[in-house]
Amino acid sequence: MKVLVLGAGIIGTSTAWHLLERGHDVTVVDRQPDAALETSFANAAQISVSYCEPWANRDAPAKLLKWMFRNDAPLLFRPHLDWQQWRWGLQFLSQCNDTAFERNVQQLVALGAYSHAALKDVVSATGISYNRLERGIAHYFTDQKSFDAAADAAQLMQKYGVQRQVVSRDELLRIEPAFQSFAHRIVGGTYTASDESGDARVFTQELARRCAARGVQFLFGHDIERLDKAGGIIAGVAVADRATGARRNLQADAIVVACGSYSAPLLRSVGVNLALYPGKGYSATFKLKRPELAPYVSTIDDEVKCAMSRLGDELRVAGTIELNGFDLSLDTPLARARCRMLAERIETVLPGVCDTRSEAEGGNPRFWTGLRPATPTNIPYIGRTRVRNLWVNAGHGTLGWTHGAGSGKALAELISGQRPDMAFGFCGMDSTRQPALTGSLAAP
Ligand SMILES: Cc1cc2nc3c(=O)[nH]c(=O)nc-3n(C[C@H](O)[C@H](O)[C@H](O)COP(=O)(O)OP(=O)(O)OC[C@H]3O[C@@H](n4cnc5c(N)ncnc54)[C@H](O)[C@@H]3O)c2cc1C
């Protein structure tokens, strides 16, 4: 089958790989000059199958209100005169209860386990190296109340087969001694040995090269301008070469939209309405000054809700979510405050380990921002839309790297007429998908 994949982030590239493996003729289109140059570029690097709790939980509405006017809030909702944002917000609120939370966790764990296995298969088939560390993920708490609640969360995860352990401060420091100088603030933690970390950009770009070497055509530097719908199908995809301005109309038997947050406006233009909204996040990557003191275990800091991962001789710290439209600027007061917070936190928890000096002080920190394609449930849209030859693989929110390999494999299987072996509500073909989201996929 001739398949057109729109978007070469981790999701589109992984979809292309798995389609290729099933014998399809694949073309990938992306506006950037290489794969993984947007949201898959500099994320927190965690393959966190077990740390996959959705943002929507019973405490989220109160926290959102409390944090609304704080520039350093972990989750920030900045209201706009934008119906898409309000619709997303209302659907998010409808998920803030224990029943929805548990149902969403169940699906995220299923996709995570499937994806972890798929990632391991791809790595052993391709030999890609990407600063992978199979040292687990730890989560530490500085507040007793939050640590007490962590026991309930661990129990829920264990119910779905995730081996997340609650650990004392001493156990946590045995697992990762690097946090010794912050030990006085830590009250305890959790740890999952089976999780891992690695550079999503390097993996995705290497996978794209292997796809290209085996015959996948990549049209980089091409804007996807329009989906042309005729006779109930997508009859063509209008693309324009950014360098020359030359326009082409591409045809295929199946079209996969994997454009991250930009999937929503593209699909809306042909009547497919996804509850998908950008969740802006930030990362900072610092050179290690004292590599011998830096952590190997990827870690989540509960107090400021950031994650840190070692990538070779650098440390990446990332976090915070801003529901504030498609803005990608790094030079607003809000963005500067959030980047500063990441640098200050690293100095607090790992003093003297990284070179956190600003450029003005002679340092070379790399700050970055990306738009997580967020759904109200945290569950991505994977499957067929009501436009017969139009498929979607988008909405992976905080977990696109974790779920990338499996989402690509699952969609390639669906397009090939196979049923992926996991308990997951695929779009357009599964009655277990929650009604709000099935409804939102409807096209006229
Ligand atoms: C701060 C931060 C930390 C994160 N940490 C983690 C983590 O530790 N673990 C984890 O699992 N996930 C993490 N994530 C989430 C993860 O990075 C995303 O879910 C994932 O990258 C989404 O991949 P994608 O392929 O859907 O989107 P993208 O990577 O954005 O890919 C979409 C592609 O579509 C292209 N595109 C879009 N519109 C057009 C158009 N009109 N024309 C042409 N091309 C177009 C873009 O150029 C882009 O290459 C984090 C995200 C952020 C922001």
Side-chain angles (χ1 to χ4, degrees), residues 6-12 29-32 36-40 43-48 222-224 258-260 262 279 281-283 318-319 368 370-373 393 396-403:
L6 307 183
I10 174 62
I11 303 302
V29 189
D30 200 291
R31 59 188 166 201
Q32 298 294 344
L37 291 184
E38 296 207 358
T39 319
S40 306
N43 66 25
Q46 295 191 323
I47 298 292
S48 49
H222 279 70
D223 278 312
I224 300 150
C259 290
Y262 301 89
Y282 299 84
S283 75
W368 168 84
L371 301 175
R372 299 176 186 89
N393 207 348
H396 294 73
T398 43
L399 289 169
W401 173 214
T402 305
H403 291 160

Side-chain angles (χ1 to χ4, degrees), residues 199-331:
D199 195 324
R201 174 190 63 80
V202 175
F203 175 86
T204 308
Q205 293 180 344
E206 286 298 315
L207 189 62
R209 308 227 195 300
R210 279 152 176 87
C211 286
R214 288 181 51 193
V216 172
Q217 193 193 356
F218 281 87
L219 292 179
F220 285 123
H222 279 70
D223 278 312
I224 300 150
E225 293 191 322
R226 210 177 54 248
L227 301 176
D228 291 328
K229 192 169 146 200
I233 62 163
I234 300 303
V237 178
V239 303
D241 187 326
R242 283 189 157 189
T244 63
R247 292 199 150 71
R248 293 162 67 175
N249 203 280
L250 307 172
Q251 280 94 37
D253 303 308
I255 290 118
V256 177
V257 175
C259 290
S261 297
Y262 301 89
S263 304
L266 191 64
L267 285 167
R268 205 176 307 129
S269 69
V270 290
V272 176
N273 291 307
L274 304 187
L276 189 68
Y277 195 79
K280 185 176 183 182
Y282 299 84
S283 75
T285 308
F286 303 108
K287 272 265 175 264
L288 292 176
K289 259 190 336 200
R290 306 279 311 270
E292 72 285 5
L293 296 181
Y296 282 94
V297 175
S298 185
T299 308
I300 301 165
D301 178 323
D302 193 72
E303 190 179 320
V304 301
K305 310 270 185 277
C306 71
M308 54 194 104
S309 296
R310 182 184 189 132
L311 296 169
D313 61 356
E314 297 186 323
L315 191 79
R316 165 88 41 84
V317 52
T320 77
I321 297 153
E322 220 174 284
L323 296 161
N324 195 13
F326 283 84
D327 165 57
L328 268 170
S329 49
L330 271 172
D331 59 358

